[in-house]
Amino acid sequence: MQYEDVFRSVLRAFPTAAVISTCGHISRDLFNHDDRDGNFYLVGSMGMAAPVAVGVAAARRDQLIVVFDGDGSFAMNTGGMLSVAASGAKILHVVLDNGVHGSTGGQRTMSFQDPVSAALAFGYRRAVLVDSPDHDWSSLDTLPAFAWAKVEPRNAPVGGRVVHTPHELRDRFAQYLSA
């Protein structure tokens, strides 16, 4: 399964979700796959996607928020899991696991032996392993929820960089949330 398969599947299941993506290649991939006002790309903020989602959820309790995290970025701040779980917010935390720090040269990442059980132990209401682009997302009917998606390491050049400035990203995302 490729990153784009997961993006396509999640965005089809939750078309009005606000989306927060971690730094590096995942933000670049999402930007090139489907740039929209409801996407907030964390350029240069490794490990902070989940905590940022909690902050957004505090301001917009009614808004579904999808977090696209990477396994390396996720490992940088596992405390973010506690924040998401304790928030009780409408957050779907999707970790894309390719087994490497793709944005920094392909160093191997260290992973949970059983990320689904870990997420449940941290307090997520639902947690699943995603191994198919045809995953049925309706099983995550109680939020916050966690999905560990196994994806293939990149075998093609990464797409173009996010062209929006941080101020532009902030402003368009805020406008999306207030609509």
Side-chain angles (χ1 to χ4, degrees), residues 105-127:
Q107 304 87 352
R108 187 173 65 90
T109 56
M110 298 304 291
S111 182
F112 285 99
Q113 292 298 315
D114 184 353
V116 170
S117 293
L120 292 170
F122 272 76
Y124 284 81
R125 307 311 187 270
R126 296 272 193 269

Side-chain angles (χ1 to χ4, degrees), residues 10-174:
V10 170
L11 295 175
R12 183 178 26 215
F14 308 107
T16 61
V19 176
I20 297 170
S21 61
T22 192
C23 65
H25 290 175
I26 290 176
S27 276
R28 288 172 69 173
D29 287 339
L30 180 61
F31 170 74
N32 286 284
H33 173 75
D34 185 18
D35 180 38
R36 60 188 189 94
D37 291 349
N39 293 353
F40 191 74
Y41 311 106
L42 292 179
V43 180
S45 299
M46 189 170 186
M48 296 308 296
V52 167
V54 171
V56 171
R60 287 294 314 267
R61 298 296 296 177
D62 60 321
Q63 177 67 56
L64 171 63
I65 301 163
V66 170
V67 175
F68 286 121
D69 218 342
D71 54 325
S73 187
F74 171 78
M76 295 293 290
N77 187 5
T78 55
M81 291 177 74
L82 288 172
S83 297
V84 171
S87 75
K90 293 174 64 175
I91 297 174
L92 171 58
H93 189 178
V94 180
V95 177
L96 303 166
D97 177 12
N98 68 356
V100 299
H101 290 280
S103 298
T104 62
Q107 304 87 352
R108 187 173 65 90
T109 56
M110 298 304 291
S111 182
F112 285 99
Q113 292 298 315
D114 184 353
V116 170
S117 293
L120 292 170
F122 272 76
Y124 284 81
R125 307 311 187 270
R126 296 272 193 269
V128 297
L129 178 66
V130 177
D131 57 5
S132 165
D134 299 320
H135 183 77
D136 179 9
W137 294 98
S138 66
S139 67
L140 300 176
D141 56 350
T142 305
L143 298 169
F146 181 87
W148 191 269
K150 291 295 288 181
V151 295
E152 295 295 319
R154 178 177 310 287
N155 59 8
V158 67
R161 293 184 182 278
V162 174
V163 298
H164 311 293
T165 68
H167 289 103
E168 290 169 340
L169 289 170
R170 176 202 61 203
D171 293 347
R172 74 182 204 153
F173 191 67

